[in-house]
Amino acid sequence: MTDNNINNLENTARKLRRDVISMISKAGSGHPGGSLSAADIVTALYFSVMRHDPKKPHWPDRDRFILSKGHAAPILYAALAECGYFPLEWLDTLRKAGTCLQGHTDSTLTPGVDVSAGSLGQGLSVGIGMALAAKLDRKDYHIYVLLGDGECDEGQVWEAAMFAPNYKLDNLTAIVDYNGLQLDGTTKDIMNLEPFANKWRSFNWEVMEIDGHDIAQIIDALNKAKKVTAHPVVIVAHTVKGKGVSFMENNVDFHGKAPNKAETELALKELA
Amino acid sequence: MTNYSDLTTREAFGRVLTKLAATDNRIIVLDADVSRSTMTKYFAQAFPDRFIECGLAEQNMISIAAGLASCGKIPVASTFAVFASSRCFDQVRMCIAQPHSNVKVVATHGGITVGEDGSSHQAIEDISLYCSLPHFNVVVPSDAIETVEVIKTAIATEGPFYVRLGRSKTPVLYPNGCSFKLGRADRLRDGEDCTIIAAGIMVSMAVQAADFLSKSGVRCRVLNMSTLKPIDQKSILDAASDTGAIITAEEHLLHGGLGSMVAQIISCNNPVPLSSLGINDTYCKSGKPEELLEMQGLTAGDIEEAVKAVIVRKKVR
Ligand SMILES: Cc1ncc(C[n+]2csc(CCOP(=O)(O)OP(=O)(O)O)c2C)c(N)n1
Ligand SMILES: [Mg+2]
């Protein structure tokens, strides 16, 4: 990956962040914090790592992406629109009556969205189903599941964590957006996850820890993960909730609140 | 040839599933550590590569099934009815119902005739829960022969299914085969005095009651309402207008079950006298299946009494 490529991807990520702010601002509600923390990961996946074709959203051999933390839908919509799954104008309809872009992802309405989410804790299991199907069909597509750190409070995540290594699902990569915040406060205060990486290790996952805002590192980890055999991989991506907008960074108030007009202008300026 | 008529509904399920899977490799079976009881063990033996043991993790199992379905498989997820309904209801709602996922949840050990295991294992809310979900088809076969047809239909019909089977043996209702049609009630007896609408194990008791009553000149229509959703509204309204009185009988809570569905339909259209037999807002205890049915007023004798009483109300009206 050349510096030039990385530079382009960083610009794309910044563009997606601007889209996230504009969409949520127009919608008047939504989740900016977790969308911004995931922006670089989603950019790396859709614009570098994943095998996909926006003209054929149902292509059987495509890699799959599951946004298990479905409240971060705006960042996924921004990426899908930028890729060309649907017109960019759709972004202005987020959360409005009659829209194809629901408040949380809806697989029945949005081209490129494979899984409905919003009730946290289920995406990794769905990804396991897809990974099993790929193995049964001897297909080489890869499944990526993005989870929130707070989401890992859910017991089902650990049911899935126990399952995947037992079935040697090396075509499955989980990425945890470890931004240290959930809805009510810090993960440390609400429900301490540590020792987090060791939990996954003890469940027999191959674990990588990266800076989730360093696109070169993200791509490198994702490509390495694809080469691991006999084990699923979890990438613990250390991130900052609200990344890119100074007053949203590490600010739990912007977990699920839209910026007002002045905040929107300021945010867009910072992301210019 | 398998003679299904001698089998429990779950045995019939296990056998027919294995048979269907021989010619359809899209069929994948998931179980949560109860395959010896749900009888998916036959499938597991015949097709180990397509059998997915989930361990006792029903939530994970349901979501995995949805992932498989999204890749073109026909997953059949099986466990006991209590766990298949209340333990993973959110997963069923999010991963199967909302996205119209092609998953077949086939649950065994439904109702109170699980018996001795007691209330923790007696599914009495499952029909209500599954019928409340948009897009779901909900079917309760009455015997082993019908079970075979229901499973074939569920596999062949795109979309979410919940099929409730029992633990114990049920009397054979369809010795000469059964032409099950999704969403269509089967008229097993005809008469003009009253209609008994039943599902599952209560169907054979309804037939028994009707046959007994006919000896004293009371003639009953009997409907096997094996499909609870989409329910056969036409047959219910025909019963109301043709016979003027209805009894429902189900091995389930009265709230949200067959009785309340029938009440909803006739009260909006043709409110004839209705009396519903089922479990009335309570959990049951350990005991032999027959004992428990007796305690809940779910015997052929109870149906006979209910018929006589409802016919009196019909005349007063
Ligand atoms: C099952 C479930 N319980 C509660 C919620 C409400 N909720 C939405 S987001 C959230 C916090 C999520 O935190 P995290 O996974 O860390 O997400 P991020 O920080 O990336 O936004 C909660 C509790 C939910 N969506 N689903
Ligand atoms: Mg978080």
Side-chain angles (χ1 to χ4, degrees):
Chain A
M1 185 99 350
T2 65
D3 288 353
N4 198 14
N5 284 341
I6 296 292
N7 207 6
N8 285 341
L9 290 169
E10 283 167 355
N11 287 336
T12 302
R14 203 169 312 116
K15 161 87 168 51
L16 300 189
R17 284 190 163 95
R18 286 197 298 273
D19 288 341
V20 162
I21 295 297
S22 307
M23 297 164 78
I24 295 178
S25 174
K26 281 180 191 141
S29 67
H31 299 79
S35 296
L36 295 174
S37 66
D40 301 299
I41 297 162
V42 169
T43 300
L45 284 165
Y46 276 90
F47 297 90
S48 173
V49 176
M50 271 180 16
R51 181 172 76 198
H52 67 119
D53 180 353
K55 287 187 200 68
K56 294 190 285 176
H58 298 291
W59 179 30
D61 291 337
R62 71 194 182 282
D63 288 341
R64 267 74 167 171
F65 175 69
I66 298 174
L67 183 68
S68 189
K69 40 172 267 185
H71 58 281
I75 187 62
L76 178 57
Y77 297 155
L80 291 173
E82 187 70 22
C83 289
Y85 280 90
F86 48 79
L88 280 161
E89 296 81 69
W90 284 23
L91 297 182
D92 295 339
T93 67
L94 175 73
R95 288 177 168 249
K96 299 200 169 123
T99 184
C100 292
L101 304 186
Q102 298 290 297
H104 294 77
T105 53
D106 182 336
S107 63
T108 68
L109 288 175
T110 315
V113 170
D114 278 323
V115 176
S116 297
S119 175
L120 292 164
Q122 305 186 18
L124 189 55
S125 307
V126 179
I128 286 173
M130 293 174 174
L132 287 167
K135 293 274 182 200
L136 284 162
D137 292 338
R138 297 181 201 289
K139 295 213 172 218
D140 70 345
Y141 58 82
H142 202 91
I143 294 93
Y144 299 94
V145 183
L146 181 60
L147 301 105
D149 48 1
E151 181 179 10
C152 294
D153 293 356
E154 285 287 352
Q156 188 183 354
V157 171
W158 301 99
E159 293 183 2
M162 200 177 321
F163 184 105
N166 269 299
Y167 281 78
K168 302 191 177 13
L169 297 179
D170 50 16
N171 53 352
L172 175 71
T173 300
I175 307 149
V176 179
D177 182 352
Y178 201 131
N179 57 29
L181 289 177
Q182 45 198 108
L183 192 153
D184 268 345
T186 64
T187 51
K188 221 185 219 146
D189 288 342
I190 304 298
M191 189 54 64
N192 187 17
L193 296 161
E194 294 298 334
F196 192 61
N198 279 340
K199 285 193 173 66
W200 291 93
R201 266 185 212 108
S202 72
F203 277 67
N204 289 325
W205 286 65
E206 179 91 19
V207 182
M208 302 179 187
E209 292 205 64
I210 62 164
D211 173 350
H213 297 306
D214 180 332
I215 290 199
Q217 253 191 64
I218 300 169
I219 291 173
D220 187 48
L222 289 168
N223 286 333
K224 274 195 191 123
K226 220 184 315 191
K227 294 200 189 88
V228 170
T229 55
H231 289 275
V233 174
V234 60
I235 300 174
V236 179
H238 294 275
T239 56
V240 173
K241 198 154 174 166
K243 175 75 177 179
V245 177
S246 57
F247 57 91
M248 291 185 177
E249 287 191 2
N250 284 319
N251 182 355
V252 80
D253 292 343
F254 279 101
H255 164 76
K257 187 180 80 168
N260 64 26
K261 200 153 171 272
E263 288 164 342
T264 302
E265 274 169 27
L266 186 58
L268 290 176
K269 204 183 281 170
E270 289 187 17
L271 291 168
Chain B
M1 278 290 284
T2 314
N3 181 7
Y4 290 103
S5 63
D6 289 337
L7 306 176
T8 59
T9 51
R10 61 192 166 113
E11 272 284 344
F13 157 60
R15 305 274 181 94
V16 72
L17 190 60
T18 308
K19 207 163 143 189
L20 293 172
T23 55
D24 189 344
N25 63 12
R26 295 171 303 167
I27 299 176
I28 311 290
V29 174
L30 303 96
D31 204 297
D33 196 27
V34 287
S35 71
R36 289 161 182 259
S37 304
T38 59
M39 298 301 158
T40 60
K41 65 177 181 186
Y42 299 125
F43 182 98
Q45 283 153 9
F47 305 103
D49 295 344
R50 287 194 272 150
F51 178 77
I52 299 169
E53 174 59 75
C54 297
L56 50 152
E58 296 78 10
Q59 305 172 44
N60 193 36
M61 174 172 78
I62 291 295
S63 304
I64 291 175
L68 284 159
S70 89
C71 297
K73 303 296 175 197
I74 305 178
V76 177
S78 197
T79 179
F80 297 161
V82 254
F83 310 131
S85 51
S86 36
R87 188 56 181 250
C88 49
F89 193 62
D90 185 31
Q91 285 72 15
V92 171
R93 176 179 181 273
M94 281 298 301
C95 298
I96 306 179
Q98 192 277 341
H100 305 240
S101 180
N102 194 25
V103 175
K104 320 301 170 185
V105 179
V106 181
T108 64
H109 298 63
I112 56 173
T113 48
V114 170
E116 290 81 352
D117 279 344
S119 62
S120 66
H121 281 58
Q122 295 165 355
I124 54 175
E125 313 94 336
D126 57 329
I127 306 290
S128 170
L129 286 168
Y130 271 95
C131 284
S132 72
L133 293 167
H135 310 147
F136 249 92
N137 298 288
V138 178
V139 190
V140 185
S142 60
D143 75 355
I145 307 284
E146 189 177 27
T147 299
V148 171
E149 299 309 314
V150 168
I151 298 299
K152 285 183 187 164
T153 301
I155 297 290
T157 309
E158 177 80 23
F161 272 77
Y162 177 70
V163 180
R164 183 218 239 195
L165 307 175
R167 180 182 80 100
S168 320
K169 226 170 146 177
T170 44
V172 180
L173 274 162
Y174 295 100
N176 306 317
C178 149
S179 56
F180 168 77
K181 286 221 173 54
L182 185 66
R184 191 87 58 80
D186 189 25
R187 193 184 295 184
L188 293 170
R189 294 286 186 277
D190 209 2
E192 55 287 336
D193 295 325
C194 175
T195 300
I196 309 167
I197 305 178
I201 61 159
M202 298 311 295
V203 178
S204 67
M205 287 186 235
V207 168
Q208 217 178 304
D211 289 348
F212 190 82
L213 285 163
S214 74
K215 288 181 194 148
S216 53
V218 178
R219 294 162 49 85
C220 294
R221 179 179 293 182
V222 176
L223 296 179
N224 172 11
M225 195 61 73
S226 40
T227 307
L228 278 302
K229 192 176 185 186
I231 200 159
D232 186 348
Q233 181 152 339
K234 179 169 187 303
S235 290
I236 294 168
L237 291 177
D238 285 350
S241 57
D242 294 350
T243 70
I246 294 176
I247 298 295
T248 63
E250 62 193 307
E251 190 194 6
H252 185 271
L253 287 176
L254 288 170
H255 298 80
L258 174 64
S260 51
M261 288 186 258
V262 171
Q264 189 175 29
I265 288 165
I266 64 170
S267 64
C268 294
N269 295 280
N270 182 9
V272 299
L274 165 74
S275 175
S276 292
L277 307 190
I279 300 157
N280 191 7
D281 203 23
T282 185
Y283 286 105
C284 303
K285 306 278 190 311
S286 289
K288 290 202 183 75
E290 317 78 76
E291 293 170 335
L292 298 179
L293 290 169
E294 211 163 294
M295 283 161 76
Q296 295 303 322
L298 291 175
T299 65
D302 293 303
I303 297 176
E304 283 164 38
E305 292 312 309
V307 168
K308 286 180 199 156
V310 89
I311 288 174
V312 172
R313 281 167 59 202
K314 177 177 156 183
K315 284 174 185 147
V316 171
R317 199 172 171 246

